[in-house]
Amino acid sequence: MKGIVLAGGNGTRLHPVTIATSKQLLPIYDKPMIYYPVSVLMLAGIRDILIISTPASLPAIQELFGDGSQFGLNISYTPQPEPRGIAEAFTLGAGYLAGEECALILGDNLFHGAGFHDLLHAARTDLSGCVLFGYPVIDPQRYGIGEVDDEGRLISIEEKPLQPRSDNAITGLYFYPPDVVELARGLRPSARGELEITDINRHYLAEGRARLVGLGRGFTWLDAGTHQSLLEASQYVQVLENRQGVRVACLEEIALRMGFIDADQCYDRGIQMRHSPYGRYVMEVARAMAPALASR
């Protein structure tokens, strides 16, 4: 399975902050926003990742990640000159995907919860259709909503319904089989001129090939696309990290625990950032995994 991070758009809801920088490079507490979606793909066991962003933003994102080898990843890049809808990620990334299954995540989404690694691995098993991830919200009129029956089967998808039949918001994380590229190529733009991800999901639903994985109690999903939600996401991460002493979306730690890099590589990354609390945390993680590093 390959991963795509869709980090496009002009961040107009965050003006003037994003006039001179990419939204996905803004900080959510102690890390760039884009670290959070990349961490989700890593937790799913994905090492080949394509980042799609605007031509103006890509150079800075490339400077941040390079080829991804410091995390044991293979990161590629492609531009999205104009935002033409989420589903355009599949046509832009068609050559990269090369007929493989894929996970798509939006660049401003934050997920966190105990057991998330296991849930992601279970969701990608036997991927005959699309897998969507639902999260209960108090204002379902603002979201795409997935309705399930008494047996947990997905039976309808509604976009911003006036009278929602469920409170399960469909989050910005999606798993798809290889045929999603051909589906995306056959889409027509919606009334707002975009290739809609909902149209793809409804196609799978009509074929009985869509399922919704619920993220219930113990999970957090945040969309950091506005000033308020960006602040809330930072406050969430700050409280969690300061109370528990662990860091959310620490890519070096995830890479080490997933076996993408070894303790020496992790420690060296920490050394490079040793003047920051984040860098010192990375060093301590490496020492905990390899006691021989304690003398360094």
Side-chain angles (χ1 to χ4, degrees):
M1 176 179 275
K2 292 183 175 180
I4 297 177
V5 179
L6 183 57
N10 297 313
T12 53
R13 290 186 297 166
L14 286 167
H15 279 178
V17 180
T18 50
I19 290 176
T21 190
S22 166
K23 175 177 72 172
Q24 283 78 20
L25 294 179
L26 296 177
I28 293 183
Y29 188 47
D30 57 348
K31 293 169 289 292
M33 183 187 297
I34 198 169
Y35 266 44
Y36 294 87
V38 169
S39 75
V40 172
L41 298 181
M42 292 173 69
L43 285 170
I46 296 170
R47 303 181 69 169
D48 296 307
I49 296 173
L50 175 67
I51 297 177
I52 299 174
S53 192
T54 66
S57 296
L58 272 182
I61 295 175
Q62 286 181 275
E63 185 175 355
L64 176 66
F65 286 122
D67 63 3
S69 57
Q70 68 273 36
F71 306 114
L73 305 176
N74 303 303
I75 297 181
S76 303
Y77 304 88
T78 197
Q80 183 185 37
E82 296 292 336
R84 297 189 179 92
I86 296 173
E88 189 185 27
F90 302 115
T91 56
L92 291 173
Y96 175 81
L97 293 175
E100 293 193 34
E101 296 174 346
C102 70
L104 169 66
I105 188 167
L106 304 186
D108 60 1
N109 273 219
L110 182 157
F111 294 83
H112 181 257
F116 197 30
H117 166 270
D118 294 336
L119 182 147
L120 292 171
H121 275 258
R124 60 176 288 189
T125 302
D126 189 25
L127 196 63
S128 58
C130 77
V131 178
L132 312 176
F133 295 83
Y135 187 81
V137 295
I138 61 173
D139 49 354
Q141 297 86 353
R142 296 179 52 227
Y143 302 92
I145 296 297
E147 179 191 9
V148 297
D149 62 17
D150 293 338
E151 296 181 358
R153 292 175 299 196
L154 184 63
I155 57 175
S156 75
I157 298 173
E158 297 180 283
E159 191 65 33
K160 297 181 176 63
L162 295 177
Q163 296 181 319
R165 290 180 284 185
S166 167
D167 65 353
N168 282 312
I170 296 174
T171 69
L173 173 63
Y174 319 84
F175 289 179
Y176 293 102
D179 64 354
V180 69
V181 171
E182 289 307 310
L183 288 177
R185 284 173 171 158
L187 288 181
R188 294 184 178 182
S190 65
R192 59 177 184 164
E194 295 191 358
L195 301 178
E196 305 287 355
I197 196 72
T198 299
D199 290 341
I200 285 182
N201 296 337
R202 283 177 174 156
H203 178 92
Y204 284 110
L205 178 63
E207 293 187 341
R209 293 198 292 146
R211 57 192 173 102
L212 187 73
V213 174
L215 303 176
R217 286 180 178 269
F219 284 95
T220 296
W221 167 59
L222 298 169
D223 172 348
T226 67
H227 295 102
Q228 182 66 26
S229 60
L230 181 63
L231 176 61
E232 290 172 354
S234 291
Q235 291 172 331
Y236 172 82
V237 173
Q238 179 192 33
V239 169
L240 192 68
E241 292 187 353
N242 290 345
R243 291 285 180 87
Q244 297 186 355
V246 298
R247 293 189 180 260
V248 180
C250 176
L251 301 189
E252 292 83 2
E253 180 177 15
I254 295 170
L256 178 58
R257 297 189 185 279
M258 294 291 294
F260 297 172
I261 61 174
D262 60 31
D264 286 311
Q265 292 171 296
C266 183
Y267 189 84
D268 289 342
R269 278 286 296 171
I271 284 288
Q272 295 171 26
M273 300 177 284
R274 62 188 179 278
H275 297 299
S276 72
Y278 181 91
R280 292 191 290 274
Y281 175 82
V282 171
M283 293 166 66
E284 287 303 316
V285 166
R287 287 192 184 109
M289 295 286 284
L293 290 170
S295 60
R296 289 181 61 179

